[in-house]
Amino acid sequence: MLKIFGRPNSINVQKVMWAANELGLQYEHETAGMAFGKVNEDWYRAMNPNSLVPTIDDDGVVLWESNVIVRYLAAKHSAGQMMPEGDAERADAEMWMDWQQTAIHPPMTPVFWNLIRTPESERNMKSVETNGDKVRDALARLNARLVDRTFVCGDQLTVADIPLGCVVYRWFALPVEHGDIPNVRAWYERLTERAAYREHVMLPVT
Ligand SMILES: N[C@@H](CCC(=O)N[C@@H](CS)C(=O)NCC(=O)O)C(=O)O
């Protein structure tokens, strides 16, 4: 059976949990990372030499890198639906997934860590402002993408929505200026109608 390792409050674990539940998969979940430990133990490092979460073991197929795991599960269980078919369509979805990792995640991380995981007296608010501007710029580009689309790649939810959907939940939960992004907000509201998103992404931000 599929086994998913990782703590529920990790954005990268949330991608995998949301995707697995969106796909209706049976799986076992084992918490790991930060307060849950395990990631530096030999058995975990044998699966994931980075000592990071998430990791999956799908009957012997061991994978890490959250976006790769989402693509693997969607291709295996939902080819032509959650994983678009056709070279161009698939690449378009993968492009937005990689963009989450390269354009939004790097500036989002210091904003999140300063505001949520750093005592108030130690926060670097300059970094929050500078990196917040980068997130706002990136989300303005996502807002333009969503002007005529229900989901990131068109009429139905695909792998492209998963990483970005996890980011926007956090962004709207943070006490920052979110920017003028009505299309992103409307897409986010559509995501909140999905049970798997509510259960695995819309968690207390800690
Ligand atoms: N690029 C990797 C990054 C993985 C990563 O940085 N995971 C963080 C949590 S979001 C982690 O493992 N932090 C240490 C820990 O939780 O112990 C992915 O997308 O899976």
Side-chain angles (χ1 to χ4, degrees), residues 136-184:
R136 281 182 280 275
D137 280 354
L139 288 176
R141 298 197 285 281
L142 179 61
N143 193 64
R145 166 75 177 190
L146 287 165
V147 68
D148 55 358
R149 289 175 177 83
T150 309
F151 295 101
V152 174
C153 289
D155 291 341
Q156 69 175 28
L157 185 109
T158 69
V159 288
D161 296 281
I162 301 284
L164 290 166
C166 293
V167 167
V168 297
Y169 169 68
R170 281 196 170 185
W171 182 246
F172 287 136
L174 290 175
V176 292
E177 173 56 50
H178 299 127
D180 182 22
I181 46 174
N183 305 324
V184 172

Side-chain angles (χ1 to χ4, degrees), residues 7 10-12 15 32-34 39 51-54 64-67 101:
R7 55 187 168 83
S10 149
I11 189 166
N12 290 312
K15 295 174 192 173
M34 283 181 75
V39 293
S51 293
L52 295 173
V53 293
W64 35 267
E65 283 299 331
S66 56
N67 286 3
Q101 292 275 32

Side-chain angles (χ1 to χ4, degrees), residues 93-192:
E94 292 182 342
M95 178 176 74
W96 285 99
M97 295 179 84
D98 284 11
W99 183 78
Q100 179 272 328
Q101 292 275 32
T102 58
I104 297 206
H105 194 63
M108 184 74 181
T109 298
V111 175
F112 176 80
W113 271 82
N114 269 297
L115 294 177
I116 302 298
R117 294 188 182 156
T118 304
E120 198 167 347
S121 61
E122 294 167 30
R123 288 179 191 159
N124 181 344
M125 295 309 288
K126 181 79 194 151
S127 169
V128 170
E129 197 48 43
T130 310
N131 285 291
D133 282 344
K134 291 180 185 167
V135 176
R136 281 182 280 275
D137 280 354
L139 288 176
R141 298 197 285 281
L142 179 61
N143 193 64
R145 166 75 177 190
L146 287 165
V147 68
D148 55 358
R149 289 175 177 83
T150 309
F151 295 101
V152 174
C153 289
D155 291 341
Q156 69 175 28
L157 185 109
T158 69
V159 288
D161 296 281
I162 301 284
L164 290 166
C166 293
V167 167
V168 297
Y169 169 68
R170 281 196 170 185
W171 182 246
F172 287 136
L174 290 175
V176 292
E177 173 56 50
H178 299 127
D180 182 22
I181 46 174
N183 305 324
V184 172
R185 174 68 76 173
W187 163 71
Y188 164 71
E189 297 294 344
R190 286 193 281 280
L191 297 181
T192 67

